[in-house]
Amino acid sequence: MSRTRFDRLNCGVARALEILGDWWTLLIVRDAFFGVRRFADFQADLGIARNILADRLRRLVEHGVLAKVDVGRSGVRHEYRLTEKGEALLPVLTALREWSDEWVFGPGAEPVIVRDRATRRRVPRLEVRSDDGRVLGRRDLRTEPGPGASAETRALLERRP
Amino acid sequence: MSRTRFDRLNCGVARALEILGDWWTLLIVRDAFFGVRRFADFQADLGIARNILADRLRRLVEHGVLAKVDVGRSGVRHEYRLTEKGEALLPVLTALREWSDEWVFGPGAEPVIVRDRATRRRVPRLEVRSDDGRVLGRRDLRTEPGPGASAETRALLERRP
DNA sequence: CAGTATCCTCGCAGATACTG
DNA sequence: CAGTATCTGCGAGGATACTG
């Protein structure tokens, strides 16, 4: 059988993964954050096959993460630019990079450092926090059905104390 | 040719994706955060094939995200529990869920609401912030080579102003 | 219950040639 | 330059049967 699709699942993580969850997509988005905009530049930087790249870019445009903009004369050049929806992925990429910096590369071996342009200081770690500033872990959180919860989601959450 | 592997790439996002970037892995981790611990429970909840689930669990244990714990008598029951490294993925899952809640489901249609157990209040959005509390977007950030940067990473970052 | 062993099918991906 | 078309194949993923 073919791959199970997640786009009907009543779960935010699943839906996001249906769009972003394959091997290449988030790397393409990362490149977009770094300022890459042209087909050839994505291709050269990632070493991805041209047809795969074309497919991923098309999907990202369909989902509104990137916008394909005609630039220059006669539509022979295009650029792929992050939309607002795309830029909203910054916390996702940041969280992945920070996790990897700490747990895969190890502290002190990060390939990239990110600073606030204004203050020149390193950006504080991305953490789940409460109103009053406490850092929250899994056990500090309580999940409950939201307005968009399906019956299954509701049942699932109630089974789990 | 087979898939390009990312585990030699000098990039945090790529390394993280080499571990987490397939279709199922982050959903398994999400379930673990929800409190799922048993093979059969993962299988029933996700509808994933048993051999694929076994493979993913093994990989997650190898990478230290989950720990396989013998429980009960004579090693006939096991549980998979999040390690510290695994729990450190909370921001990643949170970022994905929040992005999806806002941009895929739309505001007011979130399947799940997350509250701070202590205050009962909803958890503030995960945002990249500066020391002084400003919310930072892509253009507010400056990336530079870190201590673990390879020559390629260094060159890449310098090409991009 | 928690897997392993097999088999099978597509989808993902790479390589290359071609086109407006 | 920015793709499309075509070929090819590995392997991810699904289904099922079996086992300690």
Side-chain angles (χ1 to χ4, degrees):
Chain A
M1 280 263 289
S2 65
R3 227 199 81 221
T4 302
R5 304 289 156 162
F6 302 146
D7 42 11
R8 306 305 300 262
L9 288 183
N10 187 238
C11 162
V13 177
R15 292 281 189 100
L17 291 178
E18 182 58 34
I19 301 175
L20 309 167
D22 80 294
W23 293 107
W24 283 114
T25 299
L26 277 173
L27 282 185
I28 293 171
V29 174
R30 177 206 63 169
D31 265 20
F33 270 96
F34 274 139
V36 178
R37 297 183 166 183
R38 305 281 293 276
F39 187 92
D41 292 336
F42 284 110
Q43 210 269 323
D45 188 59
L46 296 172
I48 185 177
R50 308 172 74 76
N51 50 349
I52 301 300
L53 175 59
D55 178 75
R56 292 305 179 275
L57 289 172
R58 190 184 328 113
R59 282 173 48 90
L60 285 169
V61 169
E62 279 171 13
H63 283 107
V65 173
L66 296 179
K68 185 174 183 173
V69 180
D70 269 40
V71 73
R73 50 283 176 197
S74 69
V76 73
R77 281 163 195 264
H78 320 106
E79 288 187 354
Y80 294 90
R81 296 191 194 162
L82 286 167
T83 61
E84 195 186 351
K85 181 173 179 179
E87 299 218 335
L89 286 169
L90 181 60
V92 173
L93 289 172
T94 301
L96 281 169
R97 190 179 39 68
E98 288 185 345
W99 182 77
S100 183
D101 283 351
E102 179 159 3
W103 293 97
V104 180
F105 286 98
E110 324 89 270
V112 174
I113 286 176
V114 179
R115 294 184 189 276
D116 179 351
R117 275 191 194 280
T119 64
R120 299 261 167 177
R121 303 180 64 170
R122 294 185 69 165
V123 171
R125 286 191 74 73
L126 202 57
E127 284 163 328
V128 180
R129 286 177 180 273
S130 172
D131 279 340
D132 50 23
R134 282 174 301 122
V135 176
L136 303 178
R138 167 165 68 112
R139 289 173 206 77
D140 305 311
L141 301 176
R142 210 167 65 88
T143 51
E144 62 188 55
S150 66
E152 291 88 341
T153 300
R154 213 168 288 274
L156 184 78
L157 290 173
E158 270 157 34
R159 273 199 290 118
R160 305 245 171 78
Chain B
M1 282 261 289
S2 67
R3 228 199 82 221
T4 302
R5 304 289 156 162
F6 302 147
D7 42 10
R8 305 306 299 262
L9 288 183
N10 187 235
C11 162
V13 177
R15 292 281 188 100
L17 291 176
E18 181 59 33
I19 301 174
L20 309 167
D22 80 294
W23 294 106
W24 282 114
T25 300
L26 277 173
L27 283 185
I28 293 171
V29 175
R30 176 207 64 169
D31 266 21
F33 270 96
F34 274 139
V36 178
R37 295 184 167 180
R38 306 279 293 275
F39 186 93
D41 293 335
F42 283 110
Q43 210 270 321
D45 188 59
L46 296 172
I48 185 177
R50 310 171 74 74
N51 50 348
I52 302 298
L53 175 59
D55 177 75
R56 292 304 179 275
L57 289 172
R58 190 183 330 113
R59 282 173 47 89
L60 285 169
V61 169
E62 278 170 14
H63 283 107
V65 172
L66 297 178
K68 186 173 184 175
V69 180
D70 269 40
V71 73
R73 49 283 176 198
S74 68
V76 73
R77 283 163 193 264
H78 320 106
E79 287 185 354
Y80 294 91
R81 296 191 192 162
L82 286 166
T83 60
E84 195 186 350
K85 181 174 179 179
E87 300 218 334
L89 285 169
L90 181 60
V92 172
L93 290 171
T94 302
L96 281 169
R97 190 181 38 67
E98 289 185 345
W99 181 77
S100 183
D101 283 351
E102 178 160 3
W103 293 98
V104 180
F105 286 98
E110 323 88 271
V112 173
I113 286 176
V114 180
R115 295 185 190 276
D116 178 352
R117 276 190 194 278
T119 65
R120 297 260 169 181
R121 305 180 63 170
R122 293 184 69 165
V123 171
R125 287 191 74 73
L126 201 57
E127 284 163 328
V128 180
R129 288 177 180 272
S130 170
D131 280 338
D132 50 22
R134 284 173 299 124
V135 176
L136 302 178
R138 168 166 65 111
R139 291 174 205 76
D140 305 311
L141 301 177
R142 207 166 68 88
T143 50
E144 61 188 56
S150 66
E152 292 87 342
T153 300
R154 212 167 288 274
L156 185 79
L157 290 174
E158 270 157 33
R159 273 201 290 115
R160 306 244 171 78

